[in-house]
Amino acid sequence: MTSTTDFQNETVNTPDDSFLQGVKDCIPTLLGYISIGLAFGVVGSASGLSVLEIALLTILIYAGSAQFIFCALLLTNSPASAIIVTIFVVNLRHLLMSLTLAPHFTRYSMLRNVGFGTLLTDETFGVAVTKQMQTGKLYGKWMDGLNITAYSFWIVSCVTGAYLGQWVANPEKWGLDFALIAMFVALLVLQLSSVGKSKIMHYLMLIGYMFVIMYGLSYIVPSHVAVLLSTMIVATIGVVTDK
Amino acid sequence: MTTTATMVWLIIGCALVTWLPRIIPFMFVRSVKLPEVVLKWLSFIPICILSALVIENLLDTENGKIVTLNWPVFITFVPTLMIALVTKSLSITVVAGVIIMAAVRFFM
């Protein structure tokens, strides 16, 4: 099962490197994927997309926010060029996430790296950086387990939502939209608790800056642009103020 | 189960622009050694982006001219943060957060 290059770089029997461990580490994120996926399927069919189109969007785009915005723009009869440009900007934050994770996977082949990148999402990014901070290393098989589990659940949830269509009660009423936010809160806390005591004040200060800059930017740009810009600005402040 | 050629091309176009930003760093970081300052910058990205994704949901940018807190989300956020701090558990935080959000929506 293990190729020679993997064998040299990995301790085979540590639990952190297995595909199965990746699957297990994905489980806490699944409620988020299932609820948002079902909601997307419902919204998609309400926007006039066929089940086939919803499945194609889900399989090929694989990004919750981008898929929702696709539906919204379609409903307003936006031109194809506007839809593509908007989707590009909405998902540009993945460039930063991918850039953050990539240095931990340079020992794997180009093809496997393309695989890690292709299935990167906000959630798998969050789980992976937290794992990296806690254990110091990331393994390809673990990443595949995490990614493939998330991807499968996302596809099944979106398509199920598409079939259920109007019969699903509003998922917001059941608080399911908060699953994602709660997950980001928990990942943030896990990140903070694994940085050393000496750095924690610095990180808390950066989160303070994030709030102020996000708030200010919210007046002038759409929120997905605010996420991107404020992250880049505050990471720069982080470098400058780091001792 | 129908679609049109235009729709398929549109979806393919969107797929390309979401795929490229995801894979390009994975492809080029293999051959380029990133300078120390860039690596330092990248080390701050997780905390920034995770807080951005939370803050994005805490702000209500749609109603009125002034950006305010999205109160139902904020009221749910506070106890959810406490639970995350105490349990340090992803699953417990997610399940508790959803239950609190449902309760808040029910009573507000």
Side-chain angles (χ1 to χ4, degrees):
Chain A
M1 289 296 285
T2 314
S3 74
T4 31
T5 45
D6 281 359
F7 195 81
Q8 285 161 355
N9 288 306
E10 295 182 7
T11 323
V12 180
N13 290 321
T14 60
D16 289 332
D17 74 343
S18 71
F19 186 89
L20 193 63
Q21 186 60 41
V23 174
K24 282 183 190 157
D25 287 340
C26 192
I27 291 171
T29 71
L30 292 181
L31 189 59
Y33 281 107
I34 294 169
S35 51
I36 308 289
L38 285 174
F40 171 73
V42 174
V43 168
S45 40
S47 322
L49 292 171
S50 68
V51 175
L52 176 66
E53 287 165 344
I54 289 172
L56 276 177
L57 270 172
T58 304
I59 292 165
L60 294 177
I61 298 183
Y62 185 37
S65 47
Q67 290 175 217
F68 276 104
I69 287 167
F70 184 94
C71 293
L73 292 175
L74 213 58
L75 281 178
T76 56
N77 287 317
S78 307
S81 55
I83 296 181
I84 292 175
V85 170
T86 310
I87 298 281
F88 175 68
V89 177
V90 168
N91 257 35
L92 208 50
R93 65 179 186 285
H94 287 134
L95 188 77
L96 293 177
M97 297 183 186
S98 170
L99 201 53
T100 307
L101 285 183
H104 301 288
F105 291 102
T106 50
R107 63 192 187 281
Y108 294 101
S109 72
M110 174 72 92
L111 193 66
R112 291 204 63 191
N113 271 280
V114 170
F116 302 142
T118 303
L119 296 185
L120 183 73
T121 64
D122 296 347
E123 295 86 340
T124 55
F125 167 79
V127 174
V129 288
T130 306
K131 186 81 171 179
Q132 194 275 324
M133 209 156 208
Q134 288 168 345
T135 65
K137 202 164 186 189
L138 289 172
Y139 296 94
K141 276 186 282 178
W142 176 85
M143 194 69 196
D144 287 337
L146 173 71
N147 277 340
I148 291 168
T149 310
Y151 189 47
S152 319
F153 270 83
W154 179 246
I155 295 172
V156 171
S157 309
C158 289
V159 174
T160 307
Y163 273 112
L164 293 177
Q166 272 80 351
W167 291 282
V168 173
N170 180 7
E172 283 203 4
K173 188 182 159 199
W174 303 103
L176 287 170
D177 55 316
F178 197 78
L180 270 186
I181 308 168
M183 201 191 74
F184 294 135
V185 170
L187 287 172
L188 198 56
V189 167
L190 290 174
Q191 282 279 317
L192 286 175
S193 55
S194 45
V195 304
K197 284 252 188 303
S198 57
K199 284 186 177 170
I200 195 119
M201 286 317 290
H202 188 222
Y203 277 76
L204 288 175
M205 180 194 83
L206 294 180
I207 294 175
Y209 277 122
M210 283 302 296
F211 191 89
V212 173
I213 293 172
M214 279 289 289
Y215 184 86
L217 286 173
S218 297
Y219 279 98
I220 39 180
V221 291
S223 66
H224 53 265
V225 180
V227 167
L228 197 66
L229 289 179
S230 53
T231 298
M232 293 171 70
I233 295 168
V234 175
T236 310
I237 296 176
V239 173
V240 174
T241 55
D242 190 48
K243 285 172 215 95
Chain B
M1 292 288 267
T2 51
T3 188
T4 60
T6 324
M7 180 62 89
V8 172
W9 282 113
L10 179 58
I11 294 175
I12 289 174
C14 291
L16 272 181
V17 297
T18 51
W19 187 49
L20 293 175
R22 284 171 168 164
I23 59 156
I24 286 171
F26 273 98
M27 291 170 76
F28 100 99
V29 166
R30 283 169 46 75
S31 45
V32 181
K33 188 141 176 35
L34 293 174
E36 201 57 39
V37 65
V38 175
L39 289 174
K40 171 132 264 180
W41 188 76
L42 289 175
S43 75
F44 291 108
I45 297 291
I47 226 108
C48 292
I49 226 158
L50 290 171
S51 42
L53 292 170
V54 174
I55 296 164
E56 183 186 20
N57 287 290
L58 292 179
L59 297 176
D60 183 355
T61 52
E62 298 191 349
N63 298 317
K65 278 189 176 156
I66 293 174
V67 177
T68 56
L69 284 178
N70 181 330
W71 286 106
V73 172
F74 185 74
I75 290 168
T76 312
F77 163 76
V78 175
T80 304
L81 177 63
M82 301 295 179
I83 290 164
L85 284 169
V86 173
T87 64
K88 302 266 194 319
S89 157
L90 205 51
S91 325
I92 295 174
T93 309
V94 170
V95 172
V98 166
I99 294 169
I100 299 167
M101 186 79 248
V104 168
R105 290 240 169 83
F106 183 78
F107 290 112
M108 275 185 80

